[in-house]
Each structure stands twice: as structure tokens, then as C-alpha cells.
């Protein structure tokens, strides 16, 4: 054979050996296993995702940002990955949703989940005054993330927790223990058939009952885990978006009248002369998360109601949004020192502007109006008050003297007894037969 042909054949053989080395699996020595054991190529989840492309070639690995996003997401893609890797994953989620109407939103969530193949496993609903509802659904893992996205669009998501628990090791452990228990049951049944005496049979049957009980317990645990893997759990808590109505009331006053309350607010404590005019100011602030309307003002101390007040800023018959305030005032002439007890009530509204029944809110504020007596000649009332005060003082003195004398009341009595006794001893006794001449 010519030398050129032999050289070409040698190059061809070397190329074939190189190709075979590149396409073969790692040897046992390279993977750290025993000789003769089947070689297993170790891959990571990222390598699995980036391995085979749709066209059968090698796909490009994802960039760092895409890989992080993929690692954080728990949804349909992850369930497919878990199934592809042969892992048993339990998916669950808890979501709190703020909605305008809990009852309406509850029906919408149930209908949505039913259309997606979800099953309602539990419901806990509470009505007024704070409506809420907790719905628990089970759905196939492939629709898990889609269901979360769809439910989240029905209201405002205030809280959401998603978890994925790998229970593969638990499943493998339960399956292994079940296999062992089944073998033990079969073995004990065979021994019972071969036993000759009653005592041995009784002992074996007791052991068989224990093994069968353990076997059924393990099978039940495995079914529970498999059910959790087969159906993801989604718990949806519905609360009203407008659920915390509240008002804050500040009462002040200032001397004078006639300006329609334009000098409001005043002072929390006001000193003035009896009968002088004053203006009472009521400042109401919406400190809740719900619009308020239908304001009512009552003060039993001053005998005032809503009709006695005029709006200075805002409207008493209007709507007060969260964070807004209004001011109302009224004029009065206090004749004595009083502390007001002004109560303001309001009705909360939903997002459609309709009243929320049973959710009225109120608050009480107070101010001190100290009325002093005017200077001048005293009148009949002043004289009567002074006389009554003098009588009270005199009576107090009498009681005081009586309290001082009472402990020594026995002293005069003892002195009188002693005096009588001395007089009796001073008179000489009469002599019988002696005349006075």
C-alpha cells in the first residue's frame, strides 16, 4: 500500500477515536463510582433548563437576571420543572385581598376558581360589623400561578405568601417503610400457616395486627402527602377595603360672637364673665380609611344638637374623605362654669358612596367654660348665699365644740357626787333626849 494511503488511514482512525472519546459518558473513575457501574452524568437544575433547546440543539444558558427571576417565581413553570426532575413538591399560598364588598368578592373568587378547575375545600365568613371571609381552594399545580394572578386582580393584595416544600425524601421514606411492612405482614402470615401450637399462633397474630396497623398508617400518610403534591392549596382572606372608619373631635371656644365662627379654633379652656357671649368651635377630622357623611353633633350639657351649629369650613351634610376635616360653630352665653361633652357621629360610605350599615363611628370632645361673677353691688342671691354659708360655718363650730366637750362629760357628774358626799359628812348626828332649850 502506498505510504500516502497508510498515512490517511492513520489520520482517519485517530479522528474516529477522538470523536468517540468526546461523545462517551464519563468513566467510573472520573465520576468517583465503582468500576463497571453505569456512569451517571451530574447536572444542575440550571443545566437542565439550559440543556436541550426546542430545535434539538444546545440552548444558551439564561443570563443572571433571568435566572434570579426564575428562582424566585413559584408557578406553573416550576411545577413542570419539578415533574421533569422527578421531585415531589407541595405548593401552597396565603393571600389577603381588600375588596369593596366581601360577599360579592367571595362569589367572584369561587366562580373564578371553579372555571380554572379549583375546588372549594373550606369557607369561614363573618358578617357585620367587620365583614371578612376565608376561602380555601385546591387546584392542580399547573394552574397554581395562573390562579394567584387571576384572584389578585379582584381587589387590592395586602399580603401574599407563597411556598414550595420538597417532600421527595419523605415520599421515598414512606414507600420504603411500606415495602418493609408489607414484607413483614406476608412473612408473619406464612408463619401463622406453619404454626402448630395455639400459643405460637396467638403471639404471631398479635405481631401481625401490629404490622398491619403500622402498614395502614404508613399508607394513609403516603396518600396524604401524594394528595398535597397532586393539588396545590390556595387560602384567600377577603376583607373590606373600607373597614376602619374613625373620627377625631376637638372642642375649643373664644369670647365674642357675630363672626360666624371665623375665629375658630379657640382655646380648650375659656374664662369669661357670666352672661357674656362666646363661640364654641367643633373641629372634626376623618382619621380612618373610609369616607364619612351624615354628621350629627350632640351636647347634652349645653342642650345642643346639629341644627344649632353652622359650618365654618366644609359641610355638615357633605362627604369627608380620609384625612380631611371640617369646622362647625355655635354661639352661647354661659351662666355658670361648665365642661362641655360634645359628641360627633358619622356614617361611613363604601366606594360607591352608599352607607355601610352598622358601621357608624363617633367621638367625644370637651372644653372648659369658666364663668365668673361680674363685679358690682351684691344682690339677693349673693346675700342668701352668704347667709347660708354663715349658717354652715356656725353649725360647724357647734359640732366642733360638742366634739371637744363630749369626752369630758363625766367630770361634772363626778364633781356633783363628790360634793353631795362631803355635805353628808359635815352635818353632826342628833343626840337622843337632848332638847333645844
Amino acid at each position: 500500500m502506498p505510504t500516502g494511503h497508510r498515512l490517511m488511514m492513520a489520520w482517519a482512525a485517530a479522528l474516529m477515536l477522538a470523536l468517540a472519546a468526546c461523545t462517551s459518558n464519563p468513566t467510573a473513575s472520573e465520576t468517583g463510582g465503582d468500576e463497571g457501574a453505569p456512569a451517571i452524568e451530574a447536572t444542575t437544575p440550571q443545566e437542565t433548563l439550559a440543556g436541550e433547546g426546542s430545535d434539538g440543539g444546545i440552548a444558551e444558558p439564561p443570563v443572571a437576571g433571568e435566572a434570579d427571576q426564575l428562582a424566585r417565581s413559584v408557578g406553573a413553570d416550576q411545577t413542570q420543572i419539578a415533574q421533569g426532575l422527578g421531585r415531589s413538591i407541595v405548593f401552597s399560598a396565603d393571600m389577603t385581598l381588600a375588596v369593596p364588598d366581601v360577599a360579592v368578592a367571595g362569589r367572584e373568587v369561587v366562580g373564578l376558581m371553579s372555571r380554572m378547575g379549583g375546588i372549594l375545600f373550606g369557607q369561614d365568613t363573618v358578617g357585620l360589623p367587620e365583614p371578612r371571609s376565608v376561602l380555601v381552594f385546591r387546584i392542580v399545580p399547573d394552574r397554581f400561578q395562573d390562579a394567584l394572578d387571576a384572584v389578585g386582580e379582584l381587589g387590592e393584595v395586602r399580603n401574599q405568601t407563597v411556598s414550595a416544600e420538597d417532600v421527595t425524601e419523605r415520599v421515598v421514606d414512606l414507600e420504603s417503610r411500606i415495602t418493609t411492612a408489607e414484607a413483614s405482614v406476608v412473612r408473619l402470615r406464612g408463619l401463622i400457616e406453619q404454626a402448630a401450637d395455639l400459643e405460637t399462633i396467638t403471639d404471631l397474630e398479635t405481631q401481625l395486627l401490629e404490622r398491619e396497623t403500622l402498614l395502614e398508617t404508613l399508607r394513609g400518610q403516603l396518600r396524604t402527602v401524594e394528595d398535597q403534591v397532586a393539588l396545590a392549596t390556595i387560602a384567600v382572606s377577603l376583607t373590606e377595603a373600607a373597614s376602619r372608619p374613625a373620627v377625631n373631635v376637638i372642642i375649643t371656644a373664644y369670647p365674642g360672637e357675630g363672626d360666624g365662627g371665623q375665629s375658630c379654633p379657640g382655646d380648650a379652656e375659656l374664662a369669661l364673665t357670666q352672661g357674656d357671649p362666646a363661640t364654641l368651635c367643633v373641629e372634626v377630622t376623618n382619621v380612618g380609611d373610609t369616607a364619612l357623611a351624615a354628621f350629627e353633633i350632640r351636647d347634652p350639657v349645653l342642650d345642643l344638637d346639629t341644627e344649632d351649629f353652622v359650618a365654618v369650613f366644609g359641610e355638615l351634610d357633605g362627604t369627608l374623605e380620609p384625612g380631611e376635616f371640617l369646622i362647625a360653630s355655635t354661639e352661647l352665653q354661659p351662666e355658670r362654669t361648665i365642661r362641655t361633652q360634645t359628641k360627633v357621629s358619622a356614617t361611613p360610605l363604601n366606594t360607591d358612596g352608599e352607607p355601610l350599615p352598622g358601621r357608624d363611628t363617633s367621638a367625644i370632645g370637651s372644653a372648659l367654660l369658666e364663668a365668673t361673677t361680674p363685679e358690682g353691688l351684691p344682690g339677693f342671691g349673693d346675700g342668701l348665699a352668704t347667709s347660708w354659708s354663715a349658717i354652715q360655718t356656725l353649725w360647724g363650730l357647734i359640732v366642733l365644740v360638742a366634739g371637744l366637750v363630749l369626752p369630758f362629760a363625766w367630770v361634772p357628774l363626778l364633781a356633783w357626787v363628790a360634793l353631795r358626799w362631803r355635805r353628808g359628812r359635815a352635818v353632826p348626828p342628833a343626840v337622843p333626849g337632848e332638847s333645844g332649850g
Side-chain angles (χ1 to χ4, degrees), residues 408-426:
F408 302 98
W410 58 273
V411 175
L413 179 62
L414 181 61
W416 179 80
V417 172
L419 181 61
R420 295 280 296 178
W421 178 75
R422 292 186 62 183
R423 286 181 178 178
R425 288 179 61 86

PDB file of all heavy atoms in Angstrom, residues 408-426:
ATOM      1  N   PHE A 408     -65.270  64.767 128.048  1.00  0.00           N
ATOM      2  CA  PHE A 408     -65.140  65.151 129.459  1.00  0.00           C
ATOM      3  C   PHE A 408     -66.501  65.315 130.137  1.00  0.00           C
ATOM      4  O   PHE A 408     -66.619  65.949 131.193  1.00  0.00           O
ATOM      5  CB  PHE A 408     -64.362  66.462 129.569  1.00  0.00           C
ATOM      6  CG  PHE A 408     -62.989  66.398 128.943  1.00  0.00           C
ATOM      7  CD1 PHE A 408     -62.774  66.878 127.653  1.00  0.00           C
ATOM      8  CD2 PHE A 408     -61.925  65.851 129.646  1.00  0.00           C
ATOM      9  CE1 PHE A 408     -61.526  66.821 127.081  1.00  0.00           C
ATOM     10  CE2 PHE A 408     -60.668  65.795 129.080  1.00  0.00           C
ATOM     11  CZ  PHE A 408     -60.461  66.277 127.784  1.00  0.00           C
ATOM     12  N   ALA A 409     -67.583  64.770 129.610  1.00  0.00           N
ATOM     13  CA  ALA A 409     -68.933  64.915 130.182  1.00  0.00           C
ATOM     14  C   ALA A 409     -69.040  64.255 131.556  1.00  0.00           C
ATOM     15  O   ALA A 409     -69.858  64.642 132.399  1.00  0.00           O
ATOM     16  CB  ALA A 409     -69.962  64.333 129.227  1.00  0.00           C
ATOM     17  N   TRP A 410     -68.239  63.284 131.889  1.00  0.00           N
ATOM     18  CA  TRP A 410     -68.302  62.591 133.183  1.00  0.00           C
ATOM     19  C   TRP A 410     -67.693  63.415 134.324  1.00  0.00           C
ATOM     20  O   TRP A 410     -67.945  63.166 135.495  1.00  0.00           O
ATOM     21  CB  TRP A 410     -67.549  61.254 133.094  1.00  0.00           C
ATOM     22  CG  TRP A 410     -66.096  61.434 132.680  1.00  0.00           C
ATOM     23  CD1 TRP A 410     -65.623  61.496 131.428  1.00  0.00           C
ATOM     24  CD2 TRP A 410     -64.997  61.600 133.567  1.00  0.00           C
ATOM     25  NE1 TRP A 410     -64.269  61.676 131.421  1.00  0.00           N
ATOM     26  CE2 TRP A 410     -63.865  61.737 132.739  1.00  0.00           C
ATOM     27  CE3 TRP A 410     -64.852  61.648 134.958  1.00  0.00           C
ATOM     28  CZ2 TRP A 410     -62.587  61.929 133.268  1.00  0.00           C
ATOM     29  CZ3 TRP A 410     -63.584  61.824 135.479  1.00  0.00           C
ATOM     30  CH2 TRP A 410     -62.469  61.968 134.646  1.00  0.00           C
ATOM     31  N   VAL A 411     -66.895  64.442 133.980  1.00  0.00           N
ATOM     32  CA  VAL A 411     -66.233  65.237 135.031  1.00  0.00           C
ATOM     33  C   VAL A 411     -67.248  65.999 135.886  1.00  0.00           C
ATOM     34  O   VAL A 411     -67.210  65.942 137.152  1.00  0.00           O
ATOM     35  CB  VAL A 411     -65.201  66.174 134.403  1.00  0.00           C
ATOM     36  CG1 VAL A 411     -64.591  67.111 135.471  1.00  0.00           C
ATOM     37  CG2 VAL A 411     -64.108  65.372 133.720  1.00  0.00           C
ATOM     38  N   PRO A 412     -68.222  66.760 135.352  1.00  0.00           N
ATOM     39  CA  PRO A 412     -69.212  67.448 136.216  1.00  0.00           C
ATOM     40  C   PRO A 412     -70.032  66.475 137.071  1.00  0.00           C
ATOM     41  O   PRO A 412     -70.333  66.765 138.237  1.00  0.00           O
ATOM     42  CB  PRO A 412     -70.092  68.186 135.207  1.00  0.00           C
ATOM     43  CG  PRO A 412     -69.215  68.369 134.015  1.00  0.00           C
ATOM     44  CD  PRO A 412     -68.365  67.154 133.958  1.00  0.00           C
ATOM     45  N   LEU A 413     -70.390  65.335 136.489  1.00  0.00           N
ATOM     46  CA  LEU A 413     -71.172  64.369 137.254  1.00  0.00           C
ATOM     47  C   LEU A 413     -70.377  63.848 138.459  1.00  0.00           C
ATOM     48  O   LEU A 413     -70.907  63.734 139.587  1.00  0.00           O
ATOM     49  CB  LEU A 413     -71.577  63.201 136.348  1.00  0.00           C
ATOM     50  CG  LEU A 413     -72.380  62.079 137.005  1.00  0.00           C
ATOM     51  CD1 LEU A 413     -73.710  62.634 137.537  1.00  0.00           C
ATOM     52  CD2 LEU A 413     -72.641  60.953 135.987  1.00  0.00           C
ATOM     53  N   LEU A 414     -69.119  63.578 138.254  1.00  0.00           N
ATOM     54  CA  LEU A 414     -68.281  63.095 139.337  1.00  0.00           C
ATOM     55  C   LEU A 414     -68.107  64.176 140.414  1.00  0.00           C
ATOM     56  O   LEU A 414     -68.115  63.904 141.638  1.00  0.00           O
ATOM     57  CB  LEU A 414     -66.922  62.664 138.789  1.00  0.00           C
ATOM     58  CG  LEU A 414     -65.923  62.092 139.798  1.00  0.00           C
ATOM     59  CD1 LEU A 414     -66.503  60.832 140.450  1.00  0.00           C
ATOM     60  CD2 LEU A 414     -64.598  61.775 139.116  1.00  0.00           C
ATOM     61  N   ALA A 415     -67.963  65.438 139.988  1.00  0.00           N
ATOM     62  CA  ALA A 415     -67.827  66.541 140.954  1.00  0.00           C
ATOM     63  C   ALA A 415     -69.087  66.707 141.795  1.00  0.00           C
ATOM     64  O   ALA A 415     -69.041  66.936 143.020  1.00  0.00           O
ATOM     65  CB  ALA A 415     -67.499  67.839 140.205  1.00  0.00           C
ATOM     66  N   TRP A 416     -70.248  66.562 141.192  1.00  0.00           N
ATOM     67  CA  TRP A 416     -71.522  66.699 141.923  1.00  0.00           C
ATOM     68  C   TRP A 416     -71.659  65.591 142.949  1.00  0.00           C
ATOM     69  O   TRP A 416     -72.075  65.817 144.099  1.00  0.00           O
ATOM     70  CB  TRP A 416     -72.671  66.674 140.919  1.00  0.00           C
ATOM     71  CG  TRP A 416     -74.025  66.777 141.573  1.00  0.00           C
ATOM     72  CD1 TRP A 416     -74.649  67.901 142.025  1.00  0.00           C
ATOM     73  CD2 TRP A 416     -74.904  65.686 141.835  1.00  0.00           C
ATOM     74  NE1 TRP A 416     -75.858  67.617 142.550  1.00  0.00           N
ATOM     75  CE2 TRP A 416     -76.049  66.228 142.451  1.00  0.00           C
ATOM     76  CE3 TRP A 416     -74.848  64.327 141.614  1.00  0.00           C
ATOM     77  CZ2 TRP A 416     -77.114  65.436 142.846  1.00  0.00           C
ATOM     78  CZ3 TRP A 416     -75.924  63.556 142.019  1.00  0.00           C
ATOM     79  CH2 TRP A 416     -77.031  64.081 142.614  1.00  0.00           C
ATOM     80  N   VAL A 417     -71.325  64.375 142.590  1.00  0.00           N
ATOM     81  CA  VAL A 417     -71.404  63.250 143.531  1.00  0.00           C
ATOM     82  C   VAL A 417     -70.458  63.469 144.705  1.00  0.00           C
ATOM     83  O   VAL A 417     -70.793  63.223 145.883  1.00  0.00           O
ATOM     84  CB  VAL A 417     -71.083  61.928 142.804  1.00  0.00           C
ATOM     85  CG1 VAL A 417     -70.960  60.775 143.809  1.00  0.00           C
ATOM     86  CG2 VAL A 417     -72.148  61.618 141.773  1.00  0.00           C
ATOM     87  N   ALA A 418     -69.251  63.969 144.415  1.00  0.00           N
ATOM     88  CA  ALA A 418     -68.292  64.217 145.491  1.00  0.00           C
ATOM     89  C   ALA A 418     -68.790  65.308 146.445  1.00  0.00           C
ATOM     90  O   ALA A 418     -68.636  65.218 147.679  1.00  0.00           O
ATOM     91  CB  ALA A 418     -66.939  64.612 144.885  1.00  0.00           C
ATOM     92  N   LEU A 419     -69.424  66.358 145.878  1.00  0.00           N
ATOM     93  CA  LEU A 419     -69.933  67.445 146.702  1.00  0.00           C
ATOM     94  C   LEU A 419     -71.036  66.945 147.613  1.00  0.00           C
ATOM     95  O   LEU A 419     -71.091  67.295 148.811  1.00  0.00           O
ATOM     96  CB  LEU A 419     -70.416  68.576 145.800  1.00  0.00           C
ATOM     97  CG  LEU A 419     -70.966  69.831 146.513  1.00  0.00           C
ATOM     98  CD1 LEU A 419     -69.876  70.466 147.389  1.00  0.00           C
ATOM     99  CD2 LEU A 419     -71.485  70.846 145.489  1.00  0.00           C
ATOM    100  N   ARG A 420     -71.929  66.152 147.128  1.00  0.00           N
ATOM    101  CA  ARG A 420     -73.021  65.614 147.945  1.00  0.00           C
ATOM    102  C   ARG A 420     -72.460  64.746 149.068  1.00  0.00           C
ATOM    103  O   ARG A 420     -72.958  64.775 150.210  1.00  0.00           O
ATOM    104  CB  ARG A 420     -73.956  64.790 147.062  1.00  0.00           C
ATOM    105  CG  ARG A 420     -74.702  65.590 145.994  1.00  0.00           C
ATOM    106  CD  ARG A 420     -75.891  66.303 146.558  1.00  0.00           C
ATOM    107  NE  ARG A 420     -76.884  65.382 147.057  1.00  0.00           N
ATOM    108  CZ  ARG A 420     -78.021  65.737 147.635  1.00  0.00           C
ATOM    109  NH1 ARG A 420     -78.285  67.043 147.769  1.00  0.00           N
ATOM    110  NH2 ARG A 420     -78.883  64.840 148.093  1.00  0.00           N
ATOM    111  N   TRP A 421     -71.458  64.043 148.785  1.00  0.00           N
ATOM    112  CA  TRP A 421     -70.880  63.141 149.791  1.00  0.00           C
ATOM    113  C   TRP A 421     -70.238  63.943 150.914  1.00  0.00           C
ATOM    114  O   TRP A 421     -70.391  63.641 152.098  1.00  0.00           O
ATOM    115  CB  TRP A 421     -69.844  62.246 149.109  1.00  0.00           C
ATOM    116  CG  TRP A 421     -69.172  61.312 150.077  1.00  0.00           C
ATOM    117  CD1 TRP A 421     -69.673  60.197 150.638  1.00  0.00           C
ATOM    118  CD2 TRP A 421     -67.848  61.470 150.586  1.00  0.00           C
ATOM    119  NE1 TRP A 421     -68.783  59.616 151.473  1.00  0.00           N
ATOM    120  CE2 TRP A 421     -67.620  60.384 151.458  1.00  0.00           C
ATOM    121  CE3 TRP A 421     -66.843  62.415 150.391  1.00  0.00           C
ATOM    122  CZ2 TRP A 421     -66.427  60.217 152.139  1.00  0.00           C
ATOM    123  CZ3 TRP A 421     -65.669  62.225 151.082  1.00  0.00           C
ATOM    124  CH2 TRP A 421     -65.447  61.141 151.934  1.00  0.00           C
ATOM    125  N   ARG A 422     -69.558  65.044 150.588  1.00  0.00           N
ATOM    126  CA  ARG A 422     -68.908  65.875 151.593  1.00  0.00           C
ATOM    127  C   ARG A 422     -69.929  66.589 152.475  1.00  0.00           C
ATOM    128  O   ARG A 422     -69.739  66.736 153.675  1.00  0.00           O
ATOM    129  CB  ARG A 422     -67.993  66.904 150.920  1.00  0.00           C
ATOM    130  CG  ARG A 422     -66.762  66.249 150.238  1.00  0.00           C
ATOM    131  CD  ARG A 422     -65.834  67.312 149.717  1.00  0.00           C
ATOM    132  NE  ARG A 422     -65.334  68.144 150.826  1.00  0.00           N
ATOM    133  CZ  ARG A 422     -64.537  69.190 150.644  1.00  0.00           C
ATOM    134  NH1 ARG A 422     -64.169  69.554 149.424  1.00  0.00           N
ATOM    135  NH2 ARG A 422     -64.121  69.911 151.696  1.00  0.00           N
ATOM    136  N   ARG A 423     -71.009  67.060 151.868  1.00  0.00           N
ATOM    137  CA  ARG A 423     -72.062  67.711 152.654  1.00  0.00           C
ATOM    138  C   ARG A 423     -72.685  66.729 153.657  1.00  0.00           C
ATOM    139  O   ARG A 423     -73.029  67.083 154.782  1.00  0.00           O
ATOM    140  CB  ARG A 423     -73.131  68.281 151.742  1.00  0.00           C
ATOM    141  CG  ARG A 423     -72.698  69.533 151.014  1.00  0.00           C
ATOM    142  CD  ARG A 423     -73.834  70.053 150.150  1.00  0.00           C
ATOM    143  NE  ARG A 423     -73.425  71.299 149.466  1.00  0.00           N
ATOM    144  CZ  ARG A 423     -74.205  71.949 148.607  1.00  0.00           C
ATOM    145  NH1 ARG A 423     -75.432  71.483 148.337  1.00  0.00           N
ATOM    146  NH2 ARG A 423     -73.760  73.056 148.038  1.00  0.00           N
ATOM    147  N   GLY A 424     -72.850  65.500 153.243  1.00  0.00           N
ATOM    148  CA  GLY A 424     -73.422  64.498 154.149  1.00  0.00           C
ATOM    149  C   GLY A 424     -72.527  64.241 155.340  1.00  0.00           C
ATOM    150  O   GLY A 424     -72.998  64.023 156.459  1.00  0.00           O
ATOM    151  N   ARG A 425     -71.291  64.323 155.271  1.00  0.00           N
ATOM    152  CA  ARG A 425     -70.360  64.079 156.362  1.00  0.00           C
ATOM    153  C   ARG A 425     -70.218  65.304 157.263  1.00  0.00           C
ATOM    154  O   ARG A 425     -69.894  65.195 158.448  1.00  0.00           O
ATOM    155  CB  ARG A 425     -68.982  63.717 155.790  1.00  0.00           C
ATOM    156  CG  ARG A 425     -68.955  62.324 155.165  1.00  0.00           C
ATOM    157  CD  ARG A 425     -67.565  62.052 154.606  1.00  0.00           C
ATOM    158  NE  ARG A 425     -66.575  62.098 155.674  1.00  0.00           N
ATOM    159  CZ  ARG A 425     -66.251  61.059 156.458  1.00  0.00           C
ATOM    160  NH1 ARG A 425     -66.867  59.902 156.307  1.00  0.00           N
ATOM    161  NH2 ARG A 425     -65.330  61.190 157.419  1.00  0.00           N
ATOM    162  N   ALA A 426     -70.478  66.494 156.764  1.00  0.00           N
ATOM    163  CA  ALA A 426     -70.333  67.711 157.556  1.00  0.00           C
ATOM    164  C   ALA A 426     -71.475  67.900 158.567  1.00  0.00           C
ATOM    165  O   ALA A 426     -71.322  68.566 159.595  1.00  0.00           O
ATOM    166  CB  ALA A 426     -70.236  68.937 156.636  1.00  0.00           C
TER     167      ALA A 426
END
